[in-house]
Amino acid sequence: MALCVLPHSKFGNNYHSHTSPVPQHTRRKSAVTVRMTASSGGGGLASYEEGELDRPNWTGQTPLSRLVGALIAFKPLYSVLKLGARQVLISTAEKTNVPWREMTKEILESDVYKEMESVQNASVVYPDYYLSPFHAYDEGNLSWLAAAEAEAATMSMVRRAIPDASSLEEANEIVRGNWLNAIEQHHQQYSGNLKIRDILDIGCSVGVSTRFLADKFPDTKLTGLDLSPYFLAVAKYKEKASPQRSNSFQWIHANGECTGLDSQSFDIVSISYVLHECPARATINLAKESFRLLRPGGTLVITDNSPKSKKLQQLSPVLFTLMKSTEPFLDEYYLLDLEKTVKDAGFVNVQTILTDPRHRTLTATVPY
């Protein structure tokens, strides 16, 4: 097993120490429309328009961002914002036919607790940033409630990305389908015919993205890795309860920055909707660890919020204030140059595309 050592300094919510100085809001000459073939059955082209800024004006050290930060720092108001954010998430989900409360109840009243012992690694040391409250949970991801609600929250995220979709299935065909197609196309173009045998899903949560990867690449071994044993217990429970796949699954409780897994043991490393929850230093470490874990010709894929998304740049003040109140590292995420971070880790063929109106997908290759 490979060993890695992380710096002892705390991962504070201070992006200045982790990122190069960048202009707060570089206004581009014109909005850009990014076109990708949609994976819905229509066969046409989906147009996703980028905004005029490099990042939303509610991030970083802009006056608006500082005002929102001051509001969130006021504890009595923060408690109200946190409750409001939670209510908005649940009501929005249920308005789009995501049965949030019903799904949560089903997990909490199941035998999922029996899976904890088999997935939990008692030697895991949690980084300081992971112990911060986020997503309106005081314990962050280290609770049964967060784990029970994770899949419903993911479904709701997909519906928000494609609000005009007639169903969750149609929205997933676009959001997940374009993401999976981006992986496949990049690997075919740059891998040098490296066969996809082993896939690692870092920050796998309750295994939603892991199962999508399994369906796309049915002849592979899937490893889902997460820092939350609660999430992994749900992932394993759902794997057992779902129809049998040809893939084999392994669930690992570990820190994605220092996994302890063997070097050059994977053909694809996927990190989905994770980095906006991380300080910049953690993102840098995740890129380096992914490079170590991939075989030559292997593909890294990262999908998450796009700073250039027109939809995100145009969020209402109420929505972006509520969102920032539950995401303590959002400013660091939007200010970090992700492409440069990946290149600095050693990757080549770094490409980023808008795979739905809200999210970007970055793909990159480990050189031979």
Side-chain angles (χ1 to χ4, degrees):
M1 301 287 279
L3 298 177
C4 49
V5 179
L6 296 176
H8 291 293
S9 58
K10 290 186 178 181
F11 297 158
N13 192 9
N14 177 0
Y15 53 80
H16 298 295
S17 62
H18 305 319
T19 60
S20 302
V22 292
Q24 290 298 316
H25 298 100
T26 304
R27 185 176 294 276
R28 287 175 285 146
K29 293 182 180 179
S30 62
V32 178
T33 298
V34 178
R35 294 182 181 271
M36 270 204 68
T37 302
S39 42
S40 57
L45 290 176
S47 299
Y48 307 129
E49 190 174 4
E50 293 186 347
E52 295 183 350
L53 304 174
D54 284 332
R55 65 190 60 83
N57 63 5
W58 42 263
T59 61
Q61 288 288 9
T62 64
L64 179 58
S65 181
R66 287 198 296 269
L67 174 61
V68 174
L71 293 173
I72 294 170
F74 184 55
K75 288 188 177 180
L77 183 56
Y78 167 74
S79 299
V80 175
L81 290 171
K82 183 176 69 172
L83 178 61
R86 179 170 173 77
Q87 290 174 338
V88 167
L89 283 171
I90 296 173
S91 63
T92 302
E94 293 184 339
K95 285 177 183 177
T96 55
N97 297 318
V98 175
W100 184 298
R101 285 176 251 253
E102 181 182 333
M103 292 175 67
T104 301
K105 183 173 182 285
E106 182 180 344
I107 291 295
L108 292 176
E109 294 181 356
S110 72
D111 292 330
V112 68
Y113 310 98
K114 296 179 181 179
E115 305 296 343
M116 176 63 85
E117 185 177 355
S118 65
V119 297
Q120 187 170 26
N121 178 2
S123 66
V124 166
V125 177
Y126 297 103
D128 291 342
Y129 73 85
Y130 198 74
L131 302 176
S132 300
F134 54 89
H135 289 176
Y137 304 109
D138 290 338
E139 306 88 352
N141 287 339
L142 296 174
S143 75
W144 283 114
L145 181 61
E149 293 185 332
E151 184 160 9
T154 299
M155 292 177 176
S156 182
M157 175 271 293
V158 170
R159 291 307 305 262
R160 287 195 304 273
I162 313 294
D164 296 330
S166 61
S167 65
L168 175 64
E169 290 72 22
E170 181 183 336
N172 266 325
E173 285 177 355
I174 298 170
V175 174
R176 302 291 185 174
N178 284 345
W179 160 65
L180 292 167
N181 287 342
I183 300 172
E184 183 178 51
Q185 291 169 15
H186 187 98
H187 196 80
Q188 288 177 347
Q189 184 172 357
Y190 297 111
S191 71
N193 295 320
L194 176 68
K195 184 178 180 181
I196 302 174
R197 296 167 293 169
D198 302 285
I199 300 176
L200 174 63
D201 190 13
I202 294 180
C204 67
S205 182
V206 296
V208 176
S209 56
T210 322
R211 295 192 294 272
F212 273 104
L213 287 164
D215 290 339
K216 180 68 174 180
F217 304 104
D219 298 323
T220 57
K221 176 183 176 182
L222 274 296
T223 300
L225 184 145
D226 203 275
L227 259 174
S228 172
Y230 301 90
F231 282 18
L232 291 171
V234 174
K236 188 169 184 179
Y237 172 79
K238 285 184 169 291
E239 179 210 338
K240 289 182 175 180
S242 63
Q244 290 295 312
R245 292 175 169 86
S246 58
N247 316 77
S248 64
F249 288 84
Q250 183 180 19
W251 306 103
I252 296 179
H253 181 209
N255 186 343
E257 300 173 64
C258 184
T259 63
L261 300 174
D262 290 340
S263 298
Q264 299 187 8
S265 53
F266 295 95
D267 306 298
I268 291 175
V269 170
S270 175
I271 306 175
S272 300
Y273 310 108
V274 172
L275 299 187
H276 71 276
E277 299 177 6
C278 299
R281 181 172 295 180
T283 297
I284 292 168
N285 288 333
L286 285 166
K288 291 177 180 177
E289 180 70 348
S290 297
F291 186 85
R292 184 186 70 82
L293 292 169
L294 282 163
R295 299 180 177 113
T299 298
L300 169 68
V301 57
I302 297 170
T303 192
D304 214 315
N305 296 341
S306 173
K308 297 180 181 179
S309 162
K310 184 176 180 179
K311 293 287 187 183
L312 292 179
Q313 290 184 13
Q314 294 181 347
L315 282 181
S316 71
V318 171
L319 287 179
F320 68 63
T321 300
L322 290 175
M323 182 165 64
K324 290 191 77 170
S325 73
T326 66
E327 301 282 5
F329 302 107
L330 210 54
D331 281 340
E332 293 199 42
Y333 170 75
Y334 280 115
L335 287 176
L336 182 68
D337 186 334
L338 187 58
E339 289 80 4
K340 182 178 184 300
T341 298
V342 169
K343 289 176 182 176
D344 288 348
F347 288 94
V348 296
N349 305 320
V350 179
Q351 301 178 346
T352 301
I353 53 176
L354 205 60
T355 41
D356 67 62
R358 286 175 174 249
H359 303 110
R360 62 180 171 180
T361 296
L362 178 152
T363 48
T365 309
V366 173
Y368 281 93

